[in-house]
Amino acid sequence: MAHDVCIVGGGIVGLSSAYFLAKSGLSVNVIERDSIGSHASGFAYGSLSPLGEAGNAEDILPELEIARIGMDVHNLFAKELVETTGIQTDHRFRPALDLIFTEPEAVKAKEQVEWRADEKGYKVEWLSSDEALKVIPHISNEILGAVHTEGVADIEPYKLMLALTQGCELLGVNISHGNVINVVRNGSELQVTTESGSVACKNVVLAMGPWMINTADWLGIDVPIKPLKGQIVRLNSPNVDITCSVGWNGNYACTKPDGLLWAGTTEEDVGFDDKPTTAGRDLVIQALTKMIPHLEEATLVQHTACLRPLPIDGKIILGPIANDENIFLATGTGRKGILLGPAMGTIISQLITGHNPKIDITSFSPSRFQNV
Ligand SMILES: Cc1cc2nc3c(=O)[nH]c(=O)nc-3n(C[C@H](O)[C@H](O)[C@H](O)COP(=O)(O)OP(=O)(O)OC[C@H]3O[C@@H](n4cnc5c(N)ncnc54)[C@H](O)[C@@H]3O)c2cc1C
């Protein structure tokens, strides 16, 4: 019998969609080529920061409304998934401290403090360098100041993926292994073909991260997305406890509940190569020691790299395609997929079960590429 929904991709977007669809009572089949959460969704930094980074982000996220939902869904997951699966995902609220080294960064940061301060649920303030050094004494004393934001949070992405996988299985989701190579319509059903067979379903959700580019041939539409590689290190740094997520110029560092200092990141346009490199590691350490200079005793424990799905216009891709209303695309989360993925999962579930999402998602529609 045909499944109600077949989801291609076992990252945070695919599994969040599976979770909410199964909760609505639909039969769901997830097909993953590698292992669940084995790409960006399992190896991200795990920051949940809807307001962007002061002094760096040019403007408000185009997905701000989805990010707000994302924060709510993460709160729900933190309670519900732990209760049902017993897996702790290390969800916690901890402040962000964005460091400002130059006058142009300070101008932007102060503007951002103004609009961030209007956002409900957050406390955002500009700190002088002395005030910032009191919050985290290990940061550089060369800063001009910093923006301190309360209300932001983080999780351990791999643990979240484990909990989501088990949560999905408890709801009856079938998770299978396979490399999907085509999707075709066959009368009232869709046929999802892997290298070892095919599965019939009524709806398909394609949540394949940057590999979504491969769907262009199957769907006959353009999905302009590319991989953007990022690297992260985890350090054992005795006596240096960074209790905020310290940020500067797209880089970040924080002591996580595992006791390690996590730091990132790079942005590398190198295709689908997702191997950690010494050059990438050195760039991360360089930025880290600009933010937190005295790490002489720190030792490297883990070094990872993975690929963000980056759409050509920088906005997520979410909704049905124009030539088949039962085929949905859900990707393009760039640097924010851990935050946005669970919200996108709820929206996909609402679309498939015939409920109107509470927010307008028109500007994220895949048809924005089909109409040009
Ligand atoms: C270094 C780094 C740090 C990050 N930090 C953060 C952060 O702090 N906060 C935040 O919100 N976001 C962060 N992100 C971004 C976030 O990780 C991504 O946006 C998000 O994980 C993308 O999720 P996804 O489910 O779309 O894709 P993925 O996690 O890539 O999952 C897609 C899955 O589809 C599978 N797949 C692909 N093709 C096929 C096929 N043909 N058949 C079957 N399966 C297939 C893949 O194997 C993969 O498992 C970070 C990213 C990086 C790289």
Side-chain angles (χ1 to χ4, degrees):
M1 212 180 69
H3 293 278
D4 290 320
V5 189
C6 183
I7 296 175
V8 185
I12 193 154
V13 177
L15 278 200
S16 299
S17 305
Y19 186 81
F20 289 108
L21 285 160
K23 254 187 138 180
S24 308
L26 300 194
S27 64
V28 183
N29 186 35
V30 174
I31 308 179
E32 166 57 47
R33 181 174 57 189
D34 299 326
S35 304
I36 295 289
S38 60
H39 294 282
S41 299
F43 293 91
Y45 177 59
S47 168
L48 308 175
S49 52
L51 307 184
E53 183 197 333
N56 179 43
E58 288 300 320
D59 52 17
I60 302 174
L61 263 188
E63 299 90 0
L64 183 58
E65 283 189 289
I66 297 183
R68 289 184 185 121
I69 301 173
M71 289 303 270
D72 292 342
V73 182
H74 274 285
N75 287 338
L76 172 91
F77 277 171
K79 195 169 169 293
E80 196 168 278
L81 288 177
V82 174
E83 271 169 19
T84 55
T85 70
I87 299 172
Q88 294 291 341
T89 59
D90 292 349
H91 178 274
R92 60 178 184 159
F93 285 89
R94 51 95 190 105
L97 189 70
D98 294 328
L99 308 186
I100 302 301
F101 286 91
T102 65
E103 278 303 337
E105 284 169 7
V107 172
K108 269 194 214 164
K110 284 177 183 170
E111 277 169 18
Q112 283 165 316
V113 169
E114 274 176 39
W115 77 258
R116 283 168 156 218
D118 291 339
E119 187 70 16
K120 274 204 199 90
Y122 300 88
K123 186 172 171 222
V124 190
E125 55 185 344
W126 170 263
L127 301 184
S128 68
S129 57
D130 286 349
E131 287 167 333
L133 277 149
K134 276 194 195 121
V135 178
I136 306 280
H138 306 283
I139 56 174
S140 166
N141 59 12
E142 288 178 13
I143 57 167
L144 302 183
V147 177
H148 187 257
T149 308
E150 283 176 36
V152 289
D154 67 16
I155 49 112
E156 213 286 44
Y158 196 74
K159 290 184 181 174
L160 175 62
M161 290 306 296
L162 286 180
L164 251 183
T165 306
Q166 218 178 93
C168 282
E169 284 173 339
L170 289 169
L171 290 168
V173 173
N174 181 51
I175 299 180
S176 57
H177 188 253
N179 180 28
V180 173
I181 50 173
N182 206 354
V183 175
V184 285
R185 177 155 286 286
N186 184 9
S188 62
E189 292 182 349
L190 290 157
Q191 212 66 38
V192 179
T193 309
T194 66
E195 278 159 353
S196 56
S198 76
V199 180
C201 53
K202 295 176 195 150
N203 299 279
V204 171
V205 178
L206 298 170
M208 295 156 50
W211 295 276
M212 206 74 146
I213 189 96
N214 300 334
T215 61
D217 289 345
W218 320 345
L219 306 176
I221 62 165
D222 195 14
V223 188
I225 191 163
K226 68 174 184 178
L228 186 65
K229 181 173 171 179
Q231 305 196 36
I232 288 189
V233 299
R234 299 179 206 184
L235 305 171
N236 185 16
S237 62
N239 312 321
V240 179
D241 190 18
I242 306 296
T243 53
C244 293
S245 183
V246 171
W248 167 70
N249 201 23
N251 299 287
Y252 39 67
C254 184
T255 307
K256 292 274 200 161
D258 62 6
L260 299 177
L261 178 63
W262 293 38
T265 184
T266 57
E267 287 192 359
E268 302 164 65
D269 187 359
V270 290
F272 284 91
D273 167 10
D274 64 356
K275 304 263 179 317
T277 62
T278 46
R281 180 200 62 197
D282 293 349
L283 279 176
V284 171
I285 303 277
Q286 207 181 332
L288 171 64
T289 48
K290 181 172 168 95
M291 298 189 288
I292 303 166
H294 296 296
L295 290 169
E296 292 82 3
E297 292 178 35
T299 50
L300 184 66
V301 175
Q302 198 174 352
H303 174 198
T304 56
C306 48
L307 305 174
R308 311 170 181 99
L310 188 72
I312 196 165
D313 61 1
K315 285 194 302 190
I316 59 164
I317 304 171
L318 184 64
I321 61 171
N323 34 352
D324 197 316
E325 62 179 15
N326 299 106
I327 300 181
F328 297 81
L329 308 192
T331 186
T333 48
R335 290 182 65 129
K336 293 277 174 203
I338 302 300
L339 170 62
L340 301 176
M344 290 164 71
T346 61
I347 292 170
I348 284 289
S349 160
Q350 287 160 349
L351 291 171
I352 292 179
T353 55
H355 296 92
N356 277 337
K358 289 197 183 76
I359 58 165
D360 181 8
I361 56 162
T362 322
S363 65
F364 306 120
S365 165
S367 53
R368 71 185 189 267
F369 306 118
Q370 292 166 257
N371 294 335
V372 287

